[in-house]
Amino acid sequence: MSEYFSDVSKILFEGEDSKNSLAFRHYDPEQEVEGKKMKDHLRFGAAYWHCMRNPLADPFGPGTALMPWDDGTDSVENAVKRTHVFFEFMEKIDIDYYCFHDRDIAPELASLSESNKALDAVVDELEKLQGETGKKLLWGTACLFAHPRYAMGAGTSPYVDVFAYSAAQVKKAIEATHRLGGEGYTFWGGREGYGSIINTNMKRELDHLARLLHMAVDYKKEIGFEGQFYIEPKPKEPTKHQYDSDSAACLNFLREYDLLDHFKLNIETNHAILAGHTVEHELQVAAAAGALGSVDANAGDELLGWDTDQFPTNVYDTTKVMLVLLEMGGFTTGGLNFDSKRRRESHEPIDLFHAHVGGMDAFARGLKNAAAIRADGRYENFLKDRYSSWDGELGSKIENGNTSLADLEAHALSNEPGILPSGRQEMLENLFNNFI
Ligand code: XLS
Ligand code: NI
Ligand code: NI
C-alpha cells in the first residue's frame, strides 16, 4: 500500500509529559475508565466529507487544502484512490469508525443510474478496506442538500420529482450503509426548511418529510438493515429555519408522525449553540426521551454566528458531554463523530492529524474528568438532596398521579413553604472546576 502521509507514523499515547505534538497525552485507547476501555467509551469517528472532500473554501475565497493524491476529477478511479488515503489516515490516527455521505465517497454523475454504479464501485473498495483493517462504519447518509435540484429542499421540496429523487438516493444510501455493516444511518435535513415562510406550505412539507422517513423505516425492515436511524437537529444554515431545529422540535416531529420508535437523535455541538442552547441541554433533552443516539463532535466560535465546525478543544465542554453520556450508560450504536474541519489556514495534510489529536485528547480528558466527578459523588449527592423533599409521601403521591389540586390545597393551607435552601450554583461551579 502506498503511503500518502509519509511524514506521519501511527499516533501513540505518550502521556502528559510528552512534548510530541503528534502524540496523545490523554487518549490511551486501552485504559479503563469505569470498567470500560477509553476507545469503547468514546467510539471516535472520522468524517469522510471533512477529511477527504472539504477544500477549506469560505464565502470569500476558494479552497486552500493541499490534497496531492486527488486529481480533481469526478472519476471513479480518483474516488477509489481517496478511500486508500482515508484508511491510511484512520490507521495512523487510530480511529476505528467513519461516517460518509453518498456523494463524498463517490461522484454524482450525469444520471442517477451512473451515480449509483459509481457508488457501488466505491462501496466494493470500502468493503475490502474494512475487511483488511477492521475499521467500521458508524453511519452513512445521503447528501440531499448540495445539488441545485435540492435548493428548495429534498423531502420537503415543493416539487414531487425532487421528492422522488431524494427517496431514490436515500434508498441507495441505506443499501450502501447496510452492505458496509453500518451501525447507523443519519438523516440531516440539510435544506428541509424554508428561506421565507411567504412561499411555503409548512404543513404539507412536514407531512411529506414524515412520509419519506416512514418509507425509509419500511425499506430498512424489508432489506434487514438493523442499524439505528438518527435525525440530526440543526436550527438554520443554510435555510433560515430548519424543521429539525433542536432536540425538542425533532422529538415533537417524531412523536406527531409516529416515528419515535424508529429514530434517535444525533446531536451536534455547534448546532446546539446555533439553536441558542448548550450542547448539554440538547443531550439531556434527547436522553430524557430515551433518544440520545450519537454525537457529532465539534465546536463553534462564540464570535461567529455560523456552523464553523471547529475541532473540539474546550475541556469544560467535553467534560459536560461525557457526564451526560456516562449518566446514560454510554453509547450503544453511536459514537463521537468528528464533524469538524480544519481552518482555511491549516491547509497541509498533516494538519488533519493535529486537529484530530486535539479533539481526541480533549474528549479523553472530558471522559476522565466526568468519571472523577461521578466517583467523587458530591455533585450527584447535591442534586439528589436538592430534590429529596419529593422522596416523601406527598412527593411520591404527586409523582404517581395520585393527587388532585384540592388535595394540594389542603396541604398548602397548613404547610406554607419557608425560606428555601440555597441553589449553590457558584459552589457547584467551583466544584466542577476542581476536576478540570
Ligand atoms: C451539517 C451537518 C452535516 C451532517 C451530515 O451542518 O452537520 O455534516 O452531520 O449530513
Ligand atoms: Ni453533523
Ligand atoms: Ni453541522
Side-chain angles (χ1 to χ4, degrees), residues 2 8 42 95 130 178 198 271 312 315 364 409 429 432 434:
S2 49
V8 184
L42 299 166
I95 285 184
Q130 285 186 196
H178 184 36
I198 202 166
H271 296 179
V315 180
E409 183 187 43
E429 286 166 347
F432 201 86
N434 290 342

Side-chain angles (χ1 to χ4, degrees), residues 215-420:
M215 285 186 268
V217 169
D218 291 345
Y219 191 60
K220 175 182 191 232
K221 279 189 204 139
E222 191 184 320
I223 62 172
F225 173 54
E226 288 182 352
Q228 175 65 50
F229 274 177
Y230 305 114
I231 289 222
E232 182 177 326
K234 183 172 180 179
K236 56 187 169 190
E237 195 217 22
T239 63
K240 163 160 129 181
H241 173 80
Q242 286 184 207
Y243 296 135
D244 301 330
S245 298
D246 62 2
S247 290
C250 284
L251 290 169
N252 181 61
F253 170 81
L254 293 171
R255 272 201 194 94
E256 184 177 349
Y257 288 98
D258 204 17
L259 285 159
L260 194 53
D261 287 347
H262 308 288
F263 284 82
K264 288 188 173 175
L265 303 186
N266 177 35
I267 305 294
E268 179 166 320
T269 314
N270 198 189
H271 296 179
I273 308 289
L274 290 175
H277 304 309
T278 58
V279 66
E280 59 271 25
H281 168 96
E282 286 295 84
L283 292 169
Q284 286 197 23
V285 170
L292 173 50
S294 201
V295 170
D296 268 9
N298 62 17
D301 185 316
E302 307 255 320
L303 302 181
L304 297 172
W306 66 88
D307 197 10
T308 56
D309 282 348
Q310 280 159 249
F311 276 84
T313 53
N314 184 323
V315 180
Y316 276 78
D317 290 343
T318 59
T319 302
K320 288 173 180 167
V321 169
M322 291 316 300
L323 257 180
V324 182
L325 290 172
L326 289 179
E327 290 292 319
M328 183 180 84
F331 288 124
T332 46
T333 53
L336 292 166
N337 167 48
F338 288 112
D339 194 353
S340 313
K341 64 175 188 237
R342 296 165 285 158
R343 297 305 86 194
R344 189 166 183 264
E345 299 89 331
S346 311
H347 54 277
E348 295 177 6
I350 201 168
D351 290 309
L352 272 176
F353 289 90
H354 289 298
H356 284 81
V357 164
M360 292 162 80
D361 257 354
F363 268 100
R365 285 177 76 178
L367 170 62
K368 290 190 287 185
N369 293 343
I373 290 170
R374 279 156 57 83
D376 172 79
R378 275 177 289 170
Y379 174 73
E380 199 186 317
N381 287 337
F382 179 89
L383 268 186
K384 223 202 249 150
D385 198 50
R386 190 165 191 228
Y387 290 86
S388 60
S389 71
W390 284 89
D391 300 335
E393 202 190 321
L394 181 64
S396 5
K397 266 172 125 180
I398 299 173
E399 287 187 344
N400 294 324
N402 296 325
T403 49
S404 65
L405 289 182
D407 296 336
L408 298 183
E409 183 187 43
H411 176 87
L413 284 169
S414 49
N415 292 279
E416 298 270 346
I419 294 174
L420 303 179

Side-chain angles (χ1 to χ4, degrees), residues 5 29 35 131 141 234:
F5 303 103
T141 185
K234 183 172 180 179

